[in-house]
């Protein structure tokens, strides 16, 4: 399964208005907790170390002529790893990402500590597992104050060392490189050094 994120819908509509960059950039990830993608997602669950790949786009026919936007791209694995997700973004670079040193408590805790200083501004958004949270205080430090369950996501329990990544919800573009069009969790692919995986990602208008 795959989803166009809520931010992705905004990206599509902005392109109709002649604004924004084409979402050509593929990122892949490890998805260590075997999570399922959701329309509220603003980031990969755990983006892998390889650089994003600039894909090649085209319009193809699924049901009616040129009803599907398609991007193809190929990754080369930098080492032994398991890949289990892919995403499409309008940025070739990755957004801010770190891990929890101290995760928020349960599904209602509003404070947490990162392993690195948070560089985006207060008021921006992060994702851990399938939950999006707003950071209301803590930029420039490792101690964050959070609003849980943002962007119509559901608050979930998180653990120390979970990956935390910044991203943009609809109407917000303050996180550098943080706009995600498309997210798909897929079956685990166990890779060795220099193994290659070719992706074909499609968004169909129906």
């Amino acid at each position: 399964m795959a989803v166009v994120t809520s931010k992705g819908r905004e990206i599509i509509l902005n392109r109709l208005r002649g604004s924004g960059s084409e979402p050509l950039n593929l990122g892949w990830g490890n998805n260590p907790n075997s999570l399922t993608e959701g329309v509220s997602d603003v980031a990969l669950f755990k983006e892998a170390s390889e650089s994003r790949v600039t894909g090649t786009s085209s319009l193809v026919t699924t049901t009616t002529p040129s009803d599907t936007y398609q991007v193809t791209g190929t990754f080369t694995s930098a080492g032994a790893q398991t890949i289990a997700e892919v995403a499409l973004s309008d940025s070739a670079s990755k957004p801010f990402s770190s891990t929890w040193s101290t995760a928020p408590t349960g599904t209602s805790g509003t404070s947490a500590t990162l392993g690195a200083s948070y560089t985006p501004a207060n008021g921006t958004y992060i994702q851990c597992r399938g939950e999006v949270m707003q950071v209301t205080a803590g930029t420039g430090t490792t101690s964050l104050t959070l609003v849980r369950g943002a962007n119509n996501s559901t608050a979930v329990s998180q653990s120390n060392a979970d990956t935390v990544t910044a991203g943009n919800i609809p109407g917000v573009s303050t996180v550098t490189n943080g706009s995600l069009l498309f997210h798909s969790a897929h079956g685990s692919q166990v890779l060795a050094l220099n193994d290659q995986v070719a992706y074909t990602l499609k968004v169909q208008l129906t």
Side-chain angles (χ1 to χ4, degrees):
M1 183 180 173
V3 296
V4 174
T5 67
S6 54
K7 181 66 178 181
R9 296 170 188 169
E10 182 184 59
I11 290 172
I12 291 169
L13 295 177
N14 273 327
R15 292 292 292 173
L16 288 175
R17 297 179 64 242
S19 61
S21 301
E22 186 177 4
L24 280 175
N25 304 286
L26 292 85
W28 66 354
N30 305 121
N31 191 10
N33 297 297
S34 301
L35 301 168
T36 301
E37 69 287 299
V39 295
S40 61
D41 290 348
V42 298
L44 287 153
F45 299 126
K46 183 180 180 182
E47 190 158 0
S49 62
E50 290 81 9
S51 297
R52 290 181 174 179
V53 171
T54 301
T56 301
S57 68
S58 60
L59 294 180
V60 299
T61 297
T62 300
T63 303
T64 60
S66 298
D67 63 350
T68 301
Y69 177 72
Q70 175 177 287
V71 178
T72 60
T74 300
F75 285 95
T76 301
S77 182
Q81 62 180 325
T82 299
I83 293 295
E85 58 178 325
V86 65
L88 197 57
S89 172
D90 58 6
S91 174
S93 300
K94 301 175 184 179
F96 172 87
S97 188
S98 184
T99 56
W100 290 133
S101 292
T102 305
T105 302
T107 58
S108 59
T110 58
S111 61
T113 305
L114 286 172
S117 292
Y118 187 68
T119 55
N122 291 333
T124 53
Y125 294 83
I126 57 175
Q127 181 167 330
C128 181
R129 297 186 179 236
E131 180 184 357
V132 178
M133 296 158 276
Q134 186 179 29
V135 177
T136 57
T139 187
T141 75
T142 58
S143 298
L144 304 185
T145 302
L146 308 167
V147 174
R148 305 292 299 273
N151 198 36
N152 294 315
S153 67
T154 300
V156 297
S157 295
Q158 300 163 28
S159 301
N160 296 347
D162 277 353
T163 297
V164 179
T165 306
N168 294 316
I169 69 168
V172 175
S173 298
T174 50
V175 172
T176 304
N177 311 319
S179 294
L180 199 69
L181 171 78
F182 173 103
H183 189 199
S184 176
H186 59 69
S188 296
Q189 301 292 316
V190 180
L191 305 177
L193 175 66
N194 294 326
D195 281 351
Q196 292 189 317
V197 177
Y199 283 97
T200 298
L201 307 181
K202 296 181 179 182
V203 177
Q204 181 187 3
L205 297 181
T206 60

